[in-house]
Amino acid sequence: MTRPPAAAFARALAEYLGPRNWRQSRCTHCGRRYFAKKAAACGSPWCPGTASVPGAAAGRPPARPVPAQWQRMHAVFRGRGLTPFAIDPTGVARDTDLIVSALQYLDPVVHDGAPPPQGTQILSQPCVRWRYLPGAGREEGVSSSFVNLSSLETGEGGLVDRVPAHLDLWLDGLSAIGLHAREITVALTDEECAYGPYRGIRADVNSGGIELGEINWYFEVDGPTAPAFSVIDCGFSFERMAWAAAGGQEAYHDLLSPLYLVGVADGGVLNDRCRTLALLALSGVRPGSRGPRRHVRQLTDELVAPFLRGVNVRGCLHHAARFWEQFLPAGSLVPNAVDEASAAVERRALDLLARALRQPAPPQQLEFSEAADVLAARSGGRVVLSRAVSSLAGVV
């Protein structure tokens, strides 16, 4: 008799983890089944038995710089003969404005009848999720843009037996950055999950109250030309992994920010907006009225007030760009994109200042300081200009 998908999925995990001294338990706080070596709770962020943030473990070495963490994980992939890659974040736009999931890599298979890729694929995919924007920068572990590290594999119904190999890969990667098996839980779900045409079952990989990623086995794919196949999709947030590896020694957004934003009021929000704007700029998205272009305009407007308060927005954008350039395809990067994004913030600030002072906008070729001098001369001096700057810096 064929096993139900959830049972087959749990069996595959148990047969891999059991001989490695992981025990399967039921969480006494929330009732969820989970695998762990030491944890007394499932580790899910919403479980009342889980700490809300990771604690700094005694004897844990100092947090490594985030780029160094990526180099260590990359070495694990290379050691297994796997080469991480990313696709242009704006290059797959069938159902969304931007790439939000590694499963979009399979769109040509599901929607157009292309042959499925062979073997394990590793995507190191920068992505944007606009629904996270309200909490991004304010809530720990929440970003509007992040690197979605994923392992994908397609096959027939027996593909579930490959789930342990994917979990083993990610446990190796986590160990390389300092997160060892004793600090990790693998929590099962009793309900099926669905994502577009994909129907499956999942397990969450947690550490100290942080959901690092998911292990998904999609046993059914429904598309107009989709072949009969199933999919393993293991997706992890690289930034959350690096944060968890830091053991709570730094706040999530401080870990990702340039040093001059650490401790600044709303510094996490500012850095999140700069990260997302830099990613869009490097991908060739410019301000506009629709789709991601509309969001570029929104992000530009949000950065005007910090810029007028004296925050080094240009430096923050370049800091973010250096992070994204580790992951984006080199040939897809738009030259001078970050400088243009920074200039757009400055131009928007000048337009708003000119409107507040009831003056025509200065010539666009002027630097900000020169254009501000023109506005001051037209409107009655620097005191008047300073009042307008202070007003806009507080309300824009």
Side-chain angles (χ1 to χ4, degrees), residues 213-368:
E214 299 177 350
I215 298 177
N216 298 281
W217 173 47
Y218 295 106
F219 52 82
E220 183 177 297
V221 183
D222 181 20
T225 61
F229 76 120
S230 66
V231 179
I232 294 172
D233 169 29
C234 302
F236 289 76
S237 165
F238 170 66
E239 289 86 340
R240 281 193 180 186
M241 296 164 84
W243 179 44
Q249 297 177 42
E250 290 189 74
Y252 173 80
H253 296 288
D254 287 351
L255 188 69
L256 303 175
S257 298
L259 289 176
Y260 54 80
L261 287 185
V262 174
V264 173
D266 291 329
V269 176
L270 172 55
N271 188 59
D272 178 80
R273 302 315 188 250
C274 284
R275 279 169 53 86
T276 300
L277 180 57
L279 174 56
L280 294 172
L282 288 169
S283 303
V285 184
R286 296 292 180 267
S289 58
R290 295 184 179 180
R293 295 169 64 88
R294 172 173 58 88
H295 291 293
V296 169
R297 177 171 289 172
Q298 174 188 343
L299 294 170
T300 300
D301 285 350
E302 284 195 50
L303 292 174
V304 168
F307 169 74
L308 290 174
R309 290 197 299 268
V311 173
N312 184 2
V313 170
R314 182 181 294 267
C316 190
L317 287 167
H318 277 283
H319 179 272
R322 287 191 292 273
F323 175 85
W324 296 124
E325 286 168 357
Q326 299 174 95
F327 302 95
L328 290 168
S332 72
L333 300 177
V334 176
N336 304 316
V338 174
D339 286 332
E340 290 178 12
S342 176
V345 174
E346 296 179 12
R347 284 197 301 271
R348 180 62 174 154
L350 286 169
D351 288 344
L352 291 173
L353 278 173
R355 188 182 305 169
L357 295 168
R358 299 182 180 180
Q359 298 292 332
Q364 288 197 1
Q365 65 268 26
L366 295 180
E367 295 289 335
F368 180 84

Side-chain angles (χ1 to χ4, degrees), residues 76 127 204 329 362 367:
V76 170
C127 62
D204 297 330
E367 295 289 335

Side-chain angles (χ1 to χ4, degrees), residues 87-265:
I87 46 182
D88 183 348
T90 60
V92 180
R94 182 185 300 274
D95 300 312
T96 61
D97 293 323
L98 294 160
I99 288 176
V100 296
S101 166
L103 287 174
Q104 287 174 277
Y105 176 64
L106 298 178
D107 276 0
V109 180
V110 175
H111 298 287
D112 303 326
Q118 299 298 307
T120 301
Q121 313 291 315
I122 301 293
L123 274 75
S124 50
Q125 186 64 57
C127 62
V128 177
R129 294 190 181 172
W130 297 117
R131 70 178 185 272
Y132 293 171
L133 199 63
R138 298 180 175 90
E139 300 175 17
E140 289 284 33
V142 180
S143 299
S144 59
S145 55
F146 58 94
V147 178
N148 186 14
L149 291 181
S150 301
S151 62
L152 283 175
E153 188 170 353
T154 63
E156 298 181 352
L159 186 68
V160 67
D161 293 328
R162 289 279 301 153
V163 167
H166 285 257
L167 177 56
D168 185 73
L169 170 67
W170 290 107
L171 290 176
D172 268 4
L174 290 167
S175 179
I177 65 173
L179 278 175
H180 302 294
R182 64 181 179 273
E183 303 170 86
I184 294 169
T185 63
V186 179
L188 298 168
T189 55
D190 294 324
E191 298 180 355
E192 293 182 357
C193 59
Y195 179 85
Y198 300 90
R199 176 169 162 250
I201 196 79
R202 83 169 200 274
D204 297 330
V205 180
N206 307 307
S207 179
I210 301 175
E211 183 180 314
L212 304 175
E214 299 177 350
I215 298 177
N216 298 281
W217 173 47
Y218 295 106
F219 52 82
E220 183 177 297
V221 183
D222 181 20
T225 61
F229 76 120
S230 66
V231 179
I232 294 172
D233 169 29
C234 302
F236 289 76
S237 165
F238 170 66
E239 289 86 340
R240 281 193 180 186
M241 296 164 84
W243 179 44
Q249 297 177 42
E250 290 189 74
Y252 173 80
H253 296 288
D254 287 351
L255 188 69
L256 303 175
S257 298
L259 289 176
Y260 54 80
L261 287 185
V262 174
V264 173

Side-chain angles (χ1 to χ4, degrees), residues 376-396:
R378 289 175 179 172
S379 58
R382 287 196 166 275
V383 172
V384 176
L385 176 67
S386 179
R387 288 175 184 158
V389 168
S390 298
S391 175
L392 287 170
V395 300
V396 174

